[in-house]
Amino acid sequence: MNLLSALNDRQRLAAATTEGALLILAGAGSGKTRVITYRIAHLIAEKDVPPYNILAVTFTNKAAGEMRERVEKLLRETGVKLNSAPLVTTFHSLCVRILRVNIEKLEQGYTRAFTIYDQDDSTRIIKACLKDLGYDDQRLGARNVQSAISASKNSGLDAELYAARVESSDERKVAISRAFKLYEDRLRSNNALDFDDLLIKAVSLLRKDEATRARYNDRFRYILIDEYQDTNALQFALIRYLTEKTQNVCVVGDEDQSIYKWRGADISNILNFEQHYPEANIVRLEQNYRSTQNILDTAGAVVRNNTERKGKTLWTSNTAGDSIRYYQAIDGDAEARFVAAKIDEHLRRDKGARCAILYRTNSQSRVFEEALRRAGIAYNIVGGFSFYERAEVRDVVSYLKLALNPQDNIALLRVINSPARGLGKTTLDELDRQARDYGMSLWETILLITNGESANNRLAPRAVSALKNFHNIITHLVTVAAKEPASEVVKAAILDTGYSAALKAENTDEAEARIENLQELVNAAVDFDDTEDDDADAVSDDAIDEDSRQGLRSFIDSAALSSDTDKIESDAKVTMLTVHSAKGLEFPVVFIVGLEDGLFPHSRSASDKAELEEERRLMYVAITRAERFLYVSHAMRRRVYGEEMASEPSQFLNEMPLDLMEDLTRGASWLSFARNSSRTENAHAARALRGETTRSTVPKTSPAKTYDSVESIAEFFRQRGTSMSGGSSSRPSSSSTSPKQRASSPSPPPSNDITPGTHVRHPKYGRGLVLRREGVGDAAKLTVSFPGYGQKKLIEKFAGLEKA
DNA sequence: GAACTTGCTGAATTG
DNA sequence: CAGCAAGTTC
């Protein structure tokens, strides 16, 4: 029987080409996952390849899990008996597996008990590093330093190489480079790796140790890489090392869906695949099974504006389908209400309709949450606070980490005084001082102190006994961890540490919720223990599996490597998520919201052509998630930083075929104007329109214009005259009060020459516009906007201002 | 030593 | 509007 007969010709070719390098260029919705799963099944069932010789790598755990399931199902249906399973996993967990067995061979001082630090952990370390270096003023944010370090690591520069490249005149980079070095030292002394290190160390290991490399080459005879367009230099190196021997590598990707450049993804990996593997075969999958013709045309029209692409033409035999539905909302709330109403309609008409709300940034989710809640619609939200990021979960996990790796200072500091056990700042400072003196970890220092062996201990007896108490708690956990399954250790970390007792004592709803979360953690651990038992049935002949069955360790690893997207419920009625996390998913009904200039495309990518192209690919990804109904919307005004700001329609709207759109706006909209003008004039039309529409739809309470630039503020004041002064509450940029109401509201008479709306001259900043005035007399504070310098707050008395 | 208050600054996307 | 750091009070 032929397994592959269920595929179309191209798909079949891709699945059946098993030897040598293969590049599958798979357009959105072209059945990529299907091809991969059939390919794996084909290898096993029809080519008699032992499953353990197969490695498939994806970017998310969820994708890996699904693929595993689908392969299993397929093989079950064909009646194949398995005595091992193909390894389907993510880059990060693959690296962890390799390192847990081999990291000591790197000879960098790491042991296989190493801890994985997530972003939050590493931010903490960087903060501490900056502080120790005396950079604790805020000119150098920890997050900025962190992303600089991460970018550097991903491009293959370690701390030394980075330092070598820094000009000594560049103070900022010199500071970063010092922090970088210190950060690396700290990681090492904590026996900890950050996310980037997982890849770096695995690659270094393969580079360094020929035997290890040979062993894995032998093990993984057939390798598949999903989402290849998102691989970075390190991942590429990893693949190169692993495929050294057989060259049996199959990569699947779509350059139009490359959206992780900012994370180091190198699109040239896919664009130059044929150069990297000269014998490579290429198969293009261009038939789309997912979307209607209209949706596909819209996506194609947008992405055609990009220059950096191989170019492919998606086609479908699906019907044209409905028009793209467009809506222009007054503000963010109105947009959310619109979406909620439409979702309600869809769900009433078709109970099975799955809807998705896609936005550019997570912070946009809130209004939609509120609108849906008010409308009584259940929803699922991806991102934001994930389970493993909750404080109480992190605390308990830190206890677990500590039980396995007591050198982990970050974990220790996290839990040493939670619940409170009398180990406050004073004690910790002294502990830290001694640890530095001895050059030891905090844990080792605690051992010295509690044994009374610390020569220069200045701690009060009370503090020492508190430390003894803590020491006992951890030692106890260590013994539990040594002999019990993961779930039992988790229970011990919650109960025997006094953690849950302290929560219970709080006796609040919040504490109650936390206890429930911890219960959830126990459940997760129980599940984990169960699946581990199942896995134990499978035969494994290689060291890569041997260590992965140390329950607690791998439970913690999986927690560290878990992500929001792993918990997407594919059958939820309504899902809210960022476009990034929507990649790979599909929904019958899709809302792309917040299509405004500065939001989508995001303002930080506006200046750079390459970044703008990435935003456009992101738009392409968003559009192609839709199967049948696509809604696009934008708001005229939006709250930013808690302040209402005017917003322009996104340029991407303008790139869509306007004749495929149906306007659901009541009254005139950007779209109706755009249709009547040529494309080049659209932007202009949008601007002209802003005055018109808002005036007609919101006659009284909202002003026709929002004053968001120095010019328009100046204009505003010209119209009002300079009669309004004082009153710090009359913020010109806030549009919640209409000009009329303001003019008639009682405001004190001008008491000073320099009032809001007047131009002034500053000795250093030059000419500027006064925006607001606070306080009286000598204490008067002015907010002045200086072109090129931004807004400054000045004390009038000292500022040396004169009218200009 | 811990809980509370204030003031300030600053948002993108993720394993 | 938020989260965070520093200051304030019990």
Side-chain angles (χ1 to χ4, degrees), chain A residues 57-59 91 154 199 225-237 239 251-252 258-261 263-271 273 583:
Chain A
V57 186
T58 64
F59 272 81
F91 274 107
N154 274 305
L199 293 169
I225 314 289
D226 192 15
E227 308 281 13
Y228 189 64
Q229 76 280 353
D230 289 331
T231 50
N232 64 24
L234 287 165
Q235 289 155 340
F236 178 70
I239 297 166
V251 305
V252 190
S258 155
I259 54 175
Y260 286 107
K261 190 182 174 199
R263 210 168 81 185
D266 184 354
I267 197 169
S268 68
N269 285 350
I270 190 166
L271 294 178
F273 185 77
K583 196 173 65 153

Side-chain angles (χ1 to χ4, degrees), chain A residues 359-368 578 599 638-639:
Chain A
Y359 35 76
R360 179 65 238 269
T361 66
N362 276 308
S363 61
Q364 288 169 259
S365 66
R366 235 177 67 171
V367 269
F368 291 96
T578 63
L599 234 197
R638 184 173 295 280
R639 275 187 118 75

Side-chain angles (χ1 to χ4, degrees), chain A residues 705-749:
Chain A
K705 269 184 167 251
T706 40
Y707 298 86
D708 61 337
S709 66
V710 173
E711 285 74 17
S712 55
I713 296 166
E715 189 195 352
F716 173 78
F717 281 112
R718 252 196 308 284
Q719 286 166 3
R720 302 282 109 232
T722 44
S723 66
M724 41 173 314
S725 60
S728 58
S729 62
S730 64
R731 299 250 256 148
S733 55
S734 154
S735 57
S736 52
T737 346
S738 82
K740 269 192 183 125
Q741 287 171 332
R742 270 191 222 202
S744 57
S745 68
S747 49

Side-chain angles (χ1 to χ4, degrees), chain A residues 30 110 174 188 226 301 437 460 489 512 535 557 619 645 749 792:
Chain A
S30 62
Y110 283 104
V174 170
R188 199 160 306 151
D226 192 15
D437 271 8
V489 196
E512 188 58 39
D535 285 356
D557 283 351
M619 188 70 215
M645 302 286 272
K792 303 282 172 199

Side-chain angles (χ1 to χ4, degrees), chain A residues 297-308:
Chain A
D297 287 350
T298 302
V302 171
V303 81
R304 239 193 320 277
N305 292 287
N306 274 357
T307 55
E308 302 281 316

